Amino acid sequence: MNTVAVACMFIFLFSSQDGVLNSMLQFFHMNKIGWLSDPEIVNYSLTGVSIWKFSGIHIILFLAAFQSLPTDMIEASIIDGASTFKQFYHIVLPNIKPVVEIVLFLNVRGALQIFDIPYVMTSGGPNHASETFTLQTINTAFQYQNFGLACAMAIVLMIIIIIFSIIQKKLFNLKG
């Protein structure tokens, strides 16, 4: 789904005045919550939106990984009397490792580059509580007209993503 459409849908859901979540809280005689206006809660709300938006692709990737498991190895382990834990640890986990790597990389990269959901839902507020590095980079370029600094910030972000990718690759290639 289009991220802007998802963000607009969740703005309605999280609305402090007439949002669905606050209506449900009132139904149970609880106080309203400022889902997007409380600096203590806003990032949890935005995280929930991101998890909801991207969980579908993760489910598809893991479903494909589980469907591609070698059934003959699993059947042989059952015949040999392997426990469910040993089957998971010695057969399933090594075979889905590439998918776990891809999902982890996409999540780390996405978390570092997130822009659209915080921009549409809060514009970095309240009081800069939900401002991300990418949102700050774009503001630096277009609001403050400092394109050189914004370019340097984007390069730093790219370097951070590369470093995380190298660390992840090394951790996944450990023998253990």
Side-chain angles (χ1 to χ4, degrees):
M1 284 184 76
N2 184 331
T3 306
V4 174
V6 169
C8 289
M9 178 181 68
F10 275 94
I11 287 172
F12 173 71
L13 189 76
F14 288 137
S15 175
S16 296
Q17 300 304 317
D18 57 355
V20 174
L21 290 177
N22 278 332
S23 295
M24 290 172 58
L25 289 175
Q26 281 187 317
F27 178 77
F28 293 110
H29 306 289
M30 298 171 76
N31 294 331
K32 290 182 178 181
I33 297 175
W35 300 101
L36 299 176
S37 59
D38 185 351
E40 302 286 325
I41 297 173
V42 67
N43 286 322
Y44 296 113
S45 301
L46 296 177
T47 301
V49 174
S50 293
I51 288 171
W52 182 87
K53 182 182 184 327
F54 294 107
S55 63
I57 187 69
H58 298 143
I59 290 170
I60 291 171
L61 289 171
F62 280 112
L63 184 61
F66 287 129
Q67 287 179 343
S68 69
L69 288 173
T71 55
D72 55 338
M73 289 176 70
I74 294 173
E75 290 171 0
S77 69
I78 291 171
I79 292 170
D80 289 344
S83 68
T84 306
F85 176 77
K86 285 190 177 187
Q87 289 174 17
F88 180 77
Y89 188 76
H90 293 291
I91 297 171
V92 174
L93 218 54
N95 283 299
I96 68 167
K97 183 178 166 185
V99 174
V100 172
E101 277 186 80
I102 289 169
V103 168
L104 184 61
F105 174 74
L106 290 174
N107 284 338
V108 169
R109 182 191 56 93
L112 290 171
Q113 289 182 316
I114 191 79
F115 165 73
D116 40 10
I117 291 173
Y119 181 74
V120 171
M121 293 184 74
T122 64
S123 297
N127 199 22
H128 303 284
S130 65
E131 193 168 58
T132 64
F133 188 79
T134 306
L135 188 57
Q136 183 62 41
T137 302
I138 300 226
N139 284 340
T140 300
F142 298 109
Q143 187 176 3
Y144 305 116
Q145 301 292 312
N146 194 342
F147 297 104
L149 179 59
C151 184
M153 292 168 73
I155 290 171
V156 167
L157 179 62
M158 182 181 68
I159 291 169
I160 290 170
I161 291 171
I162 290 170
I163 290 169
F164 273 115
S165 175
I166 291 169
I167 291 169
Q168 176 186 325
K169 193 71 174 164
K170 288 186 184 290
L171 287 175
F172 270 90
N173 288 331
L174 290 177
K175 302 289 184 207

